[in-house]
Amino acid sequence: MKTSSRTAKKSEVGLDEFAAKSERKSEKEDKENDVESKESDYTAGQIEVLGDIEAVRKRPGMYIGSVGIRGLHHLLWEIVDNSIDEALAGYCRRIKVTLHRDGSASVEDDGRGIPTEMHELGKPALEIVLTKLHAGGKFDRKAYRVSGGLHGVGLSVVNALSEWLEVRVWRSKEYYQKYRRGKPVEPLKVVGEADRTGTYIRFKPDEEIFEVTEFSWEIVSQRLRELAYLNRGIKLELYDERKGEKRTYCYEDGIAGFVKKLNTGKPTLHDVIYLSGEKNGVIVEVAVQFTDTEIEKVLYFANNINTVEGGTHASGFKAGITRAINEFGKKHLKKFKPLSGADIREGLTAVVSVKVPEPQFEGQTKTKLTNSEVRTAVDSIVYSGMLEWLEEHTGEAMKIIEKCIMARKAREAARRARELVKKKREGITLPGKLADCSSRRPEERELFIVEGESAGGSAKQARDRRFQAILPIRGKIINVEKAGMNKAMKNEEIKAIVAAIGAGISRDFDITKVRYRRVIIMTDADVDGAHIRTLLLTFFYRYMRPLIESGYLYIAQPPLYRIKKGKKVYYAYSDRELEDCLNRLGDKVEIQRYKGLGEMNPEQLWETTMNPENRYLIQVTVEDAKKADELFSILMGEDVEARRKFIIEHSREVKNLDI
Ligand code: 0RA
């Protein structure tokens, strides 16, 4: 049943715990049967006790979580919790903790004292409590037991994990007994008369078990103070004999004092509000104070355990206080808009403490309360108590409401600012190589997508920067057909195009956000240029089709020839144009054939291709783009011959498109 490896900590502890629970249960059942059948069988009882102690010593982590500093202090909390239980039952006012020089610790209280009467097993009840696992159930001191909560493993665990333990009980007489590693050294003895009641337990954590054996002043003093706040009026004394320090914690105002302490030095809007009540068997105490800060500090406790993972008391509190404040606001303010929980809790300091008869804890660290009856109890007590307080303190209530409304305004302003920044950022992340134009009027803005860095450079010099933007792209952009959208969007060239156009892509494409009225593809008038143009057309067809449908996409037409006669220069955009031109001009002409945009200087590029007065633009239709898309697979396919044929045909086609 038990696993051997100790490496997989968390899950293993869980399994062990589960195993231990079922084991303990069956052991308990067995023993209960034993009690009935062999009531006075001393030996049997003795064997069981040894079994319990051995079980604990063999797997201490299962009972106290760890054998490190937490586990060590767990021993002390086990005893202190028992004394607190006695106090909650109304029989104990004072608890004194001493950290001794020899490494031991002691806890003394003025409760009723652990019962010393003979128990069914033929031993004093005290000895059973100190040697039997979960003997507490037999001596149940009624509801709200802290020791039934998170710690709650019983005094026998402390005893089993101590090198030695001494117990002194004052009831009708003074009793004394000493143990070594969980076993009695001698029977319980009467050592004197008693003029008081109470229990004193001193123990020395076993160095054979614990990795750390030194109690921490910080940990102990902090927890004792917390317990004093959580259990008003109980006097908790701490003596550290090692360093000669002494502290006494006792707070008549309980958690209200806790909140006051938490708010030391902070500007507050009112005196601490204290609410309490009992419902569904759950005792609820809440202390609340709003500060003029943005800090929310709400501490939640269930049976004195700091439930850092929250739970039903937390949700009940949040719901209750939100409802009360909104109810008050609605009643007393014109045009009141309900506030959110977050608006209300900004600047709130509170301590919520519940005492639950059978607390259920869940979560990673077992610090989340899950009892559902607690939610409604806390909600209704906080709601009615808070609303009543607000009605009785309208001046201060208004201050609180004002604070909440301010919080909401700040939150809304912050959200707007965030959105603005986001929008701006979206605008700012234009591609670095984009030379944008200055005009803010979309209807006149143009974007030239230019093949090659050098042609891009010429275009930047040639352009009218007021309304013409240039985006140079490197030779080959990705094959979007093969790549699919995600991969296409990783391609630098595609990303730059999408960012420059600024209207999203695919289903998210929004034509109203397009930053340019014309998007102009400007490539060389050769085979490579045709190839790149096809790639771009395919991309736009697939991912920005509305751009084409709206007539925003164009292809620039650079001239194919430059014809010079004397000082006069002519450009021909097709072979036919060249023919016409030559016929007109007769002989003595110089003809230059342009192979690429790079062969033109900026002035020529402006004159022939970019200047709206002279240029030829072909508006791309959906049919054009669709054709490009269909032909794409041929172009990019494995069939080299088909590809060669296509390119030849396609470049001819481009020429045919020219005029
Ligand atoms: C069981 C029953 C009673 C008291 C206690 C336990 C008890 C345990 C501890 C541990 C530390 N201090 C404690 N004080 C009391 C009630 C006994 C009765 O009815 O008289």
Side-chain angles (χ1 to χ4, degrees):
M1 174 163 63
K2 284 174 183 169
T3 50
S4 52
S5 156
R6 286 235 136 244
T7 45
K9 270 187 191 158
K10 229 167 221 160
S11 63
E12 201 200 308
V13 168
L15 280 175
D16 276 357
E17 235 159 37
F18 182 76
K21 260 186 201 153
S22 43
E23 199 173 63
R24 268 181 246 144
K25 193 166 174 235
S26 59
E27 272 175 8
K28 198 176 156 198
E29 280 162 4
D30 286 347
K31 276 175 230 162
E32 273 163 6
N33 291 340
D34 277 357
V35 172
E36 277 171 77
S37 56
K38 326 169 214 168
E39 223 167 292
S40 57
D41 191 335
Y42 179 85
T43 329
Q46 183 78 342
I47 289 163
E48 280 157 18
V49 162
L50 289 180
D52 281 359
I53 291 165
E54 266 153 28
V56 175
R57 288 182 65 84
K58 216 165 129 193
R59 299 178 155 267
M62 219 158 74
Y63 298 89
I64 54 165
S66 81
V67 290
I69 187 118
R70 279 179 73 98
L72 177 80
H73 288 82
H74 207 133
L75 299 185
L76 185 56
W77 306 142
E78 191 57 45
I79 304 175
V80 171
D81 283 355
N82 268 280
S83 299
I84 294 274
D85 283 346
E86 193 62 4
L88 292 177
Y91 299 100
C92 164
R93 303 268 321 152
R94 190 177 147 247
I95 301 165
K96 176 177 157 187
V97 175
T98 309
L99 306 177
H100 299 277
R101 258 185 289 253
D102 61 1
S104 67
S106 63
V107 180
E108 182 178 338
D109 67 47
D110 60 355
R112 287 167 295 179
I114 302 175
T116 50
E117 296 82 47
M118 275 309 197
H119 186 257
E120 303 147 69
L121 290 174
K123 287 185 196 172
L126 172 67
E127 194 173 320
I128 304 296
V129 166
L130 283 167
T131 52
K132 252 190 74 178
L133 277 173
H134 282 254
K138 297 251 172 202
F139 309 93
D140 218 343
R141 284 170 292 169
K142 285 242 306 287
Y144 315 123
R145 300 197 48 202
V146 180
S147 51
L150 195 63
H151 308 131
V153 284
L155 295 175
S156 62
V157 171
V158 182
N159 196 11
L161 300 177
S162 294
E163 184 193 317
W164 55 259
L165 180 144
E166 292 180 311
V167 59
R168 215 171 274 276
V169 168
W170 298 270
R171 275 170 82 85
S172 47
K173 301 253 186 287
E174 182 178 335
Y175 299 85
Y176 176 84
Q177 192 173 25
K178 185 157 184 166
Y179 293 81
R180 267 194 91 74
R181 303 206 154 97
K183 288 174 243 172
V185 174
E186 56 190 6
L188 181 70
K189 277 194 310 213
V190 173
V191 293
E193 298 302 313
D195 55 359
R196 53 166 289 200
T197 60
T199 305
Y200 171 90
I201 298 171
R202 178 170 173 174
F203 67 101
K204 184 164 190 306
D206 198 341
E207 282 172 18
E208 285 178 8
I209 304 279
F210 290 93
E211 288 161 3
V212 186
T213 51
E214 205 179 307
F215 287 104
S216 149
W217 165 269
E218 280 306 312
I219 294 173
V220 175
S221 61
Q222 212 165 305
R223 174 62 178 161
L224 292 183
R225 178 160 61 182
E226 189 173 84
L227 283 170
Y229 275 127
L230 291 168
N231 304 281
R232 85 163 79 205
I234 302 180
K235 192 171 174 188
L236 285 148
E237 294 167 51
L238 172 59
Y239 294 85
D240 191 333
E241 287 184 346
R242 302 167 307 181
K243 44 193 217 165
E245 289 234 40
K246 183 196 156 175
R247 288 289 139 79
T248 302
Y249 307 106
C250 182
Y251 303 102
E252 289 305 333
D253 52 358
I255 59 168
F258 202 160
V259 165
K260 223 179 274 171
K261 170 84 185 169
L262 291 170
N263 278 344
T264 324
K266 288 185 199 162
T268 56
L269 302 183
H270 55 88
D271 287 341
V272 178
I273 304 165
Y274 174 81
L275 310 169
S276 67
E278 190 186 333
K279 197 182 160 124
N280 305 337
V282 181
I283 297 174
V284 179
E285 279 187 285
V286 174
V288 170
Q289 190 176 37
F290 285 95
T291 67
D292 196 9
T293 73
E294 287 172 12
I295 304 154
E296 172 185 344
K297 187 156 187 69
V298 184
L299 301 178
Y300 297 99
F301 294 88
N303 291 18
N304 289 336
I305 294 154
N306 187 193
T307 38
V308 290
E309 292 175 280
T312 47
H313 50 346
S315 51
F317 171 74
K318 290 175 192 172
I321 194 162
T322 305
R323 240 167 9 105
I325 289 181
N326 277 324
E327 180 93 8
F328 181 85
K330 205 168 73 188
K331 195 173 152 195
H332 294 274
L333 291 166
K334 273 179 265 163
K335 286 196 282 176
F336 175 77
K337 270 192 292 166
L339 294 148
S340 76
D343 295 332
I344 284 164
R345 292 194 302 276
E346 190 172 305
L348 172 65
T349 305
V351 171
V352 176
S353 173
V354 294
K355 303 261 163 65
V356 189
E358 276 175 33
Q360 302 292 315
F361 296 102
E362 279 176 19
Q364 285 230 299
T365 53
K366 291 253 175 236
T367 55
K368 182 178 181 187
L369 184 72
T370 58
N371 303 56
S372 61
E373 73 277 15
V374 176
R375 190 196 324 269
T376 47
V378 178
D379 184 344
S380 80
I381 288 165
V382 169
Y383 168 72
S384 54
M386 194 68 203
L387 191 58
E388 194 183 324
W389 185 93
L390 292 166
E391 294 291 2
E392 283 169 6
H393 302 78
T394 42
E396 287 159 318
M398 283 303 171
K399 275 201 240 167
I400 293 170
I401 293 259
E402 243 166 64
K403 185 249 18 139
C404 297
I405 291 170
M406 289 283 284
R408 175 167 63 197
K409 278 190 185 148
R411 205 178 301 276
E412 280 169 357
R415 203 197 54 230
R416 276 196 300 273
R418 261 199 319 275
E419 271 165 12
L420 211 72
V421 167
K422 200 177 144 207
K423 255 194 208 144
K424 255 197 189 156
R425 208 187 294 126
E426 276 165 4
I428 283 163
T429 43
L430 288 171
K433 51 191 182 170
L434 172 75
D436 212 347
C437 53
S438 58
S439 168
R440 296 288 125 202
R441 294 170 53 201
E443 65 275 15
E444 65 171 353
R445 288 162 59 90
E446 296 181 349
L447 174 68
F448 282 84
I449 299 174
V450 185
E451 172 201 356
E453 301 296 350
S454 76
S458 297
K460 280 181 194 177
Q461 287 180 55
R463 68 174 174 150
D464 183 337
R465 62 188 320 128
R466 205 181 54 77
F467 69 95
Q468 293 182 317
I470 310 294
L471 179 68
I473 56 163
R474 254 182 294 124
K476 298 272 151 63
I477 67 159
I478 195 163
N479 173 354
V480 285
E481 193 212 45
K482 267 194 197 160
M485 171 145 117
N486 284 342
K487 209 162 159 209
M489 278 313 292
K490 284 200 186 97
N491 178 266
E492 286 307 321
E493 310 306 310
I494 301 273
K495 272 202 290 199
I497 292 168
V498 173
I501 292 174
I505 187 167
S506 198
R507 250 189 288 151
D508 295 329
F509 184 82
D510 182 354
I511 190 74
T512 65
K513 290 210 176 116
V514 174
R515 300 175 63 243
Y516 305 95
R517 178 56 186 82
R518 289 186 195 85
V519 175
I520 302 159
I521 299 171
M522 188 159 74
T523 57
D524 287 340
D526 61 4
V527 169
D528 275 349
H531 182 192
I532 289 156
R533 184 168 52 234
T534 310
L535 285 165
L536 286 170
L537 286 177
T538 304
F539 168 73
F540 285 118
Y541 178 74
R542 297 217 169 176
Y543 296 115
M544 294 191 186
R545 198 170 300 173
L547 192 80
I548 303 170
E549 288 165 345
S550 307
Y552 283 15
L553 188 64
Y554 296 82
I555 293 169
Q557 290 294 289
L560 293 177
Y561 304 97
R562 180 174 183 264
I563 304 120
K564 202 176 168 203
K565 181 169 184 174
K567 289 206 164 146
K568 288 208 157 188
V569 176
Y570 304 89
Y571 295 98
Y573 291 82
S574 67
D575 287 340
R576 215 178 70 199
E577 260 194 41
L578 175 68
E579 236 171 83
D580 290 352
C581 189
L582 292 178
N583 287 341
R584 264 191 290 122
L585 297 175
D587 51 23
K588 280 208 177 160
V589 291
E590 264 176 61
I591 303 168
Q592 187 194 348
R593 198 199 145 99
Y594 286 125
K595 285 184 228 83
L597 298 165
E599 288 176 21
M600 280 183 271
N601 64 36
E603 288 78 21
Q604 291 168 344
L605 190 58
W606 165 252
E607 274 309 308
T608 61
T609 316
M610 296 175 75
N611 182 353
E613 307 276 312
N614 310 330
R615 72 189 181 190
Y616 290 94
L617 287 186
I618 299 168
Q619 192 170 48
V620 178
T621 65
V622 176
E623 272 59 50
D624 294 334
K626 193 171 168 222
K627 217 189 275 170
D629 186 65
E630 278 162 7
L631 292 170
F632 203 85
S633 44
I634 304 172
L635 192 66
M636 298 311 288
E638 300 292 312
D639 189 341
V640 179
E641 187 51 34
R643 186 155 101 205
R644 203 184 64 83
K645 259 168 87 183
F646 166 78
I647 290 170
I648 292 165
E649 264 170 45
H650 193 70
S651 25
R652 206 182 296 139
E653 204 182 301
V654 168
K655 278 180 207 159
N656 294 342
L657 267 171
D658 277 358
I659 299 168

